[in-house]
Amino acid sequence: MIANELKGEYRGLAESRYAKFLLGKLLVHGDKEIRDIVVPEFYGHVRRLIKHPEASWILDDIYRGVATPSQKAIILREWYGAEFAIFKAGGKGPVSGELKTILKDHPEKRKPIMHALHDLINLLVQKKTTGFTMLHDAMLQYFLNVPPGSEEMTEFLELLKGDEEGDLLKNLAFTKSGARLVCLALAYGTAKDRKQILRVYKNTFEALASDANGHQVILAAYDVIDDTVLTSKSIFPELLGKTPDADPNRTQTLLNSIIDLNARIPLIYPFAGKSKAILRHEDLDLLDEIHNVRSTTSKKDPATRRKELLAHLSPPLLALIECNAEALVQSSFGCQFITEVMLSATGDRDPAIHAIVALTQTGKPEIEQALEAAPAGRMLKTLVQGGRFNPKTRRVELAEPPLMFHDRLFASLMARDRVLEWAVSGNSFVVVGLLEAEG
C-alpha cells in the first residue's frame, strides 16, 4: 500500500539524504511487485543518478541486490550512451547488457558507445567513487571490447593503475566482474604493469584469499607473473607469516585458512593445479581465459613457473603438516590439504611423512575416529598409492620423487600388530592400497 502511494516519487526519494533509507527498506522488505514498481522509475536516468552523491549508492544497491537480470541489463545499457537511456532495446528476446552483443549488431556505433562509456567510467574514478558494482561491470564490458595491445587498452590499464591510493584496484578485486577485470589486466599487462598492480595489494592478500572473488586475483598472479621471486615475496609472507611454525597465533590463523572454503585455494592451487576438487566452475573458466592470454604475454614456461613457486611455498607448508598433523587430519579440507601438499611439494618430505604415520600410534580416541572417517581414508589411500588416480588412463600417476609412504605406514602398522584390525575397519581400502602400492 505504501509502495503504491509513493509511485512516481522513488527517483526523488533516492536523491534525498534521508528519504533514500525509506526506499532501501521498501526494497529489502518488499516483494517482487514492489521491486517491479520501483526499479523502472530509474530507467532513463542512470547516467545522471550514478553521479549524484546520494542517489548513486541506492541505485547501485538496487542494481546489485534487487534488480532482475533483465532489469540489470537495462540499467547497464544506459552506461553506453544517451541513446540507450532514451530508446528501449528492440526485439522480442531478452534484453542484453553485453556490450559485445550490442557492438556486433551495431558496429557503426562502436566509437560513440566506447567514448560515452569511457567518459563515465573516468568521471567516477576521478571522483574516487569506485566501490559501485555497476561501475565494475561497466569497466569489464569496456575492457573486453578493446583490442589487445591497442592504445585503448594501454590507456585503460593506466587508468586502473593511476589511482595513487589504490582504492580502485582494491575495490575491484572483491566483486565478480572486478576480480575478472584485475585478472585480465594482470594477464594482458607488461611486467611493469603486473608489478605495479601487485604492489597495490600489499597488506591485502590475506583478505583477498578469503574472499569468493578476491582469491582469483592471487591465482592470476601465480599464473602470469614471470618473476616468481616477486610473487613469493609479495604474497606468501601475508598468507603464511614468516615462520608459521614458530608463532602459535599465526599457526592457528593458517590452520583456519586451510579449512576455509576460499582461503584454502591460494594455498593448495600451486600444488593441485586446476583441480575440480578445489576450484569452482567460475575459477576454472577464468583460469582458462587467463591461460589463453598468458600464452602470448608471458615468457616463462608454466611448468617452470609452478616449480619455482613450489620451491618457495613447500618448506613452510611441510613444516606446518609436521607440527599440526593431528589438527589437520580431523577435517575434510585438512586431509585434502595434506594430500595435495605431500604429492607435489619439493624438498624434504620425510618429517611430514613421519608425522602423518605417527597418527596411527597416538591412541587418542579423536584421532582414531578421524582416521576411520572417509576424508582421512581417501588421504591415506592416495598417499599409500603414491600419486593421484587419473580417470582417463585409469592409472595412478606417481609423484616425483616417489613418496614411499606405504613403506612407512606398513612398518608402523606391523610394529603394533594392527594390519588385521585396519583390514576389517573403515580403513580396509587403505590396506588394499598397501597391497597394490608400487615399489
Side-chain angles (χ1 to χ4, degrees), residues 225-281:
I225 296 176
D226 291 336
D227 186 352
T228 53
V229 174
L230 171 66
T231 308
S232 302
K233 287 184 176 180
S234 300
I235 299 176
F236 294 159
E238 292 190 33
L239 297 185
L240 304 174
K242 293 183 178 179
T243 53
D245 55 323
D247 181 358
N249 294 328
R250 183 62 227 177
T251 299
Q252 188 56 52
T253 301
L254 190 51
L255 290 173
N256 291 339
S257 295
I258 289 167
I259 60 174
D260 182 87
L261 184 63
N262 297 311
R264 68 194 181 102
I265 296 176
L267 295 171
I268 302 178
Y269 176 68
F271 298 92
K274 290 167 59 178
S275 169
K276 293 181 180 179
I278 67 165
L279 297 173
R280 305 169 302 169
H281 290 300

Side-chain angles (χ1 to χ4, degrees), residues 205-221:
F205 287 111
E206 191 172 355
L208 288 176
S210 60
D211 185 75
N213 301 303
H215 74 271
Q216 296 175 338
V217 175
I218 298 178
L219 303 190

Side-chain angles (χ1 to χ4, degrees), residues 27-28 31-32 34-36 38-40 42-43 58-76 134:
L27 291 169
V28 169
D31 54 17
K32 294 179 180 179
I34 293 176
R35 177 198 65 199
D36 292 339
V38 174
V39 176
F42 292 88
Y43 295 167
I58 196 71
L59 176 61
D60 193 64
D61 286 344
I62 290 171
Y63 177 84
R64 182 182 67 252
V66 179
T68 65
S70 177
Q71 290 169 338
K72 289 178 71 172
I74 294 171
I75 292 172
L76 186 59
M134 199 187 324

Side-chain angles (χ1 to χ4, degrees), residues 76 80 97-101 103 110 114 117 121 136-148 150 152-153 156-157 160 176-185 188 286 289-290 293:
L76 186 59
Y80 306 151
E98 294 291 324
L99 184 53
K100 182 178 180 180
T101 302
L103 295 179
R110 184 184 189 281
M114 297 296 281
L117 180 55
I121 290 171
H136 302 173
D137 286 357
M139 293 180 75
L140 177 63
Q141 290 300 319
Y142 183 90
F143 194 81
L144 290 175
N145 288 279
V146 294
S150 66
E152 286 177 298
M153 176 170 283
F156 198 74
L157 288 173
L160 290 176
K176 182 178 180 180
S177 293
R180 184 183 173 193
L181 173 59
V182 176
C183 291
L184 290 174
Y188 279 109
L286 181 57
E289 186 176 17
I290 292 169
V293 177

